[in-house]
């Protein structure tokens, strides 16, 4: 009697997963085709068949602590081959989207972020904050003379705002990941799972794998998907590098802004912007044109790609307007750019961007506990049509 598992179904959880893009999950009849076709699913503990069952039953605790939902790289092979069109790839994506809001505190922000009707309210906060800052520095009007954004919003004010915000988000993310870690331990009951094991184990090799986007190759994602993902990732890395360098340069060697167009940091930022914009456009075109192989795109998916595209495009446009000496347009776009950058950082723990951290942690956890075993590859099964199934 004591060895029996206590099942705690949560029907609201199932409804939420359905609302986040897993609408076909109840069609699954447990044939396991998905687990067979998935090249990332190991032989000894395959996914996503079991996750489909758990999602149907509303086994929230078991699913949220399941590292396997993060081992999936959303190639959607399983969705294409599912004879019931149950969309297992979409269900795993919906579970991941649910996790961001579940683990990050405060919970109401996670819920608000998942719901498009709260978007104006979430944007209103940085708008009001920056208007107050502009008012406090006497810059509610467009500055006269040469366009220098420093005159409009001085770094001495802007930097502490973003530093405090980043510090706060860092704490929230660290707490979220630690809750996720505890749930993985509880859910899998794995004995070897200390952070020391991980660092002394496979962290470096996994980091290299991650930088090479190796799993995208392994799971047979389309080349376009992998390239667009890499373009956005490395483009954003270049922004992080340039921002950190400018920050350090301003306070140590007195780096003057705006930098000349041929300054190496400016060139890196512009190349990064081209990569990011290209990657976002490729993703958008692919999502709009491809069918089942692309999977469902939820509000969180669109929110992320549109945000990255707009923030980057505004950055470039602001630069062009500054060079063209169109002061009003340049300052207004710069203001919107700042608001959106703040939005991206402030709501990072609840957004799909946080998948970088959850996925990395789950991969390390699975690897250090020998959970991400090998797959014996077999020819992919032909898709069985409903008409061929005898009941
Ligand atoms: S292939 Fe489809 S029906 Fe079969 S177990 Fe997977 S999700 Fe369910
Ligand atoms: S989407 Fe791809 S990686 Fe994810 S479970 Fe399906 S087949 Fe595997």
């Amino acid at each position: 009697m004591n060895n029996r598992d206590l099942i705690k179904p949560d029907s609201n959880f199932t409804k939420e997963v359905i609302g986040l893009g897993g609408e076909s999950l109840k069609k699954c009849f447990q044939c396991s085709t998905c687990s067979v076709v998935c090249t990332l699913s190991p032989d000894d503990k395959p996914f996503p068949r079991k996750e489909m069952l758990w999602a149907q039953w509303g086994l929230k605790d078991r699913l949220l602590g399941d590292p396997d939902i993060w081992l999936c790289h959303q190639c959607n092979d399983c969705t294409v081959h599912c004879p019931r069109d149950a969309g297992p790839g979409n269900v795993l994506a919906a579970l991941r989207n649910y996790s961001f809001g579940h683990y990050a505190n405060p919970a109401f922000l996670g819920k608000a972020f998942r719901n498009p009707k709260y978007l104006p309210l979430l944007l209103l906060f940085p708008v009001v904050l920056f208007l107050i800052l502009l008012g406090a520095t006497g810059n509610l009007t467009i500055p006269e003379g040469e366009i220098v954004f420093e005159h409009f919003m001085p770094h001495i004010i802007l930097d502490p705002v973003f530093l405090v915000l980043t510090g706060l988000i860092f704490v929230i993310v660290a707490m979220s990941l630690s809750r996720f870690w505890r749930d993985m331990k509880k859910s899998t009951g794995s004995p070897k799972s200390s952070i020391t094991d991980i660092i002394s184990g496979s962290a470096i090799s996994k980091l290299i794998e991650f930088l090479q986007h190796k799993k995208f190759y392994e799971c047979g994602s389309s080349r376009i998907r992998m390239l667009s993902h890499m373009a956005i990732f490395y483009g954003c890395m270049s922004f992080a590098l340039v921002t950190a360098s400018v920050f350090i340069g301003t306070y140590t060697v007195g780096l003057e802004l705006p930098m000349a167009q041929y300054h190496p940091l400016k060139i890196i930022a512009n190349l990064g912007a081209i990569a990011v914009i290209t990657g976002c456009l490729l993703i958008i075109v692919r999502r709009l044109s491809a069918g089942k192989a692309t999977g469902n795109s939820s509000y969180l998916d669109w929110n992320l790609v549109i945000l990255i595209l707009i923030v980057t495009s505004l950055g470039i446009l602001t630069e062009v307007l500054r060079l063209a000496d169109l002061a009003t347009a340049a300052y207004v776009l710069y203001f919107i750019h700042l608001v959106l950058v703040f939005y991206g950082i402030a709501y990072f723990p609840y957004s799909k961007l946080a998948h970088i951290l959850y996925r990395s942690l789950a991969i390390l956890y699975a690897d250090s506990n020998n959970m991400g075993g090998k797959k014996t590859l077999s020819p992919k099964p032909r898709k069985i049509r409903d008409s061929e199934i005898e009941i």
Side-chain angles (χ1 to χ4, degrees):
M1 196 60 184
N2 288 340
N3 292 332
R4 286 182 189 169
D5 275 348
L6 185 63
I7 303 278
K8 282 194 239 159
D10 182 339
S11 56
N12 284 335
F13 170 70
T14 305
K15 277 186 208 148
E16 285 213 50
V17 174
I18 288 172
L20 286 168
E23 61 260 17
S24 312
L25 76 89
K26 291 202 170 162
K27 288 186 185 171
C28 171
F29 63 176
Q30 292 291 299
C31 68
S32 276
T33 306
C34 50
S35 298
V36 174
V37 295
C38 176
T39 47
L40 295 183
S41 165
D43 286 341
D44 50 354
K45 189 172 164 278
F47 61 87
R49 182 205 58 80
K50 66 180 184 314
E51 284 73 14
M52 292 300 284
L53 182 68
W54 295 350
Q56 284 177 337
W57 285 3
L59 302 187
K60 179 175 161 184
D61 295 343
R62 198 171 283 194
L63 277 164
L64 293 179
D66 175 18
D68 292 349
I69 66 172
W70 298 94
L71 303 188
C72 158
H73 276 57
Q74 218 176 339
C75 66
N76 275 314
D77 259 6
C78 53
T79 297
V80 171
H81 286 86
C82 171
R84 292 283 294 159
D85 284 336
N90 296 329
V91 173
L92 292 195
L95 288 167
R96 290 190 291 269
N97 284 343
Y98 183 92
S99 298
F100 305 130
H102 172 78
Y103 284 114
N105 278 324
F108 75 86
L109 265 184
K111 279 203 173 126
F113 194 82
R114 288 203 295 259
N115 192 336
K117 82 175 181 203
Y118 292 112
L119 178 64
L121 204 61
L122 296 178
L123 282 168
L124 189 63
F125 177 67
V127 169
V128 172
L129 175 73
F130 285 120
L131 282 177
I132 291 173
L133 288 177
L134 283 177
T137 48
N139 286 328
L140 273 175
T141 51
I142 301 296
E144 300 282 327
E146 189 195 352
I147 303 174
V148 180
F149 296 118
E150 167 76 11
H151 296 164
F152 181 60
M153 185 71 87
H155 275 268
I156 201 78
I157 293 195
L158 211 51
D159 290 345
V161 169
F162 278 105
L163 275 179
V164 169
L165 176 69
T166 310
L168 196 65
I169 294 308
F170 184 84
V171 172
I172 292 176
V173 167
M175 287 166 65
S176 317
L177 292 179
S178 111
R179 288 179 66 205
F180 174 51
W181 185 264
R182 275 202 303 273
D183 276 2
M184 281 196 291
K185 280 173 78 170
K186 205 157 76 182
S187 176
T188 61
S190 294
K192 181 196 165 195
S193 50
S194 78
I195 201 77
T196 328
D197 289 328
I198 287 178
I199 291 168
S200 62
S202 54
I204 302 291
S205 65
K206 288 291 155 195
L207 179 67
I208 293 169
E209 231 177 59
F210 169 72
L211 292 175
Q212 294 173 328
H213 284 54
K214 230 172 168 179
K215 290 286 177 195
F216 281 86
Y217 281 113
E218 284 176 26
C219 83
S221 290
S222 81
R223 206 169 165 68
I224 297 277
R225 180 165 177 262
M226 192 193 71
L227 287 176
S228 49
H229 202 275
M230 280 180 111
I232 295 175
F233 174 76
Y234 282 106
C236 288
M237 285 297 108
S238 78
F239 296 157
L241 174 79
V242 170
T243 308
S245 307
V246 168
F247 178 77
I248 295 168
T250 310
Y251 291 101
T252 53
V253 293
L255 179 73
E256 292 221 356
L257 297 175
M259 290 179 288
Q261 291 306 110
Y262 49 80
H263 192 289
L265 289 177
K266 185 67 110 180
I267 294 172
I268 293 173
N270 285 336
L271 288 176
I274 292 170
V276 169
I277 292 173
T278 310
C280 289
L281 291 177
L282 283 175
I283 286 185
I284 292 172
V285 169
R286 188 170 171 270
R287 278 187 194 164
L288 293 177
S289 58
K292 215 190 281 181
T294 323
N296 288 348
S297 294
S298 67
Y299 166 66
L300 284 192
D301 296 315
W302 283 114
N303 180 293
L304 177 63
V305 76
I306 300 287
L307 174 73
I308 295 176
L309 181 62
I310 295 181
V311 168
T312 312
S313 306
L314 282 181
I316 290 282
L317 213 53
T318 308
E319 186 182 345
V320 171
L321 290 171
R322 179 179 62 78
L323 294 173
D325 204 23
L326 295 169
T328 306
Y331 284 120
V332 169
L333 287 199
Y334 179 65
F335 180 85
I336 301 173
H337 177 71
L338 283 181
V339 166
L340 292 179
V341 171
F342 187 99
Y343 171 88
I345 298 175
Y347 304 118
F348 169 86
Y350 320 97
S351 80
K352 204 190 159 188
L353 204 52
H355 79 277
I356 300 173
L357 301 175
Y358 284 90
R359 175 164 286 149
S360 306
L361 204 61
I363 289 176
L364 285 172
Y365 182 87
D367 199 63
S368 67
N369 289 295
N370 301 317
M371 290 166 60
K374 291 278 174 237
K375 170 87 168 182
T376 308
L377 291 176
S378 51
K380 296 217 161 146
R382 178 178 64 84
K383 180 171 174 172
I384 306 161
R385 306 270 153 220
D386 276 357
S387 56
E388 295 176 75
I389 300 167
E390 285 183 29
I391 299 171

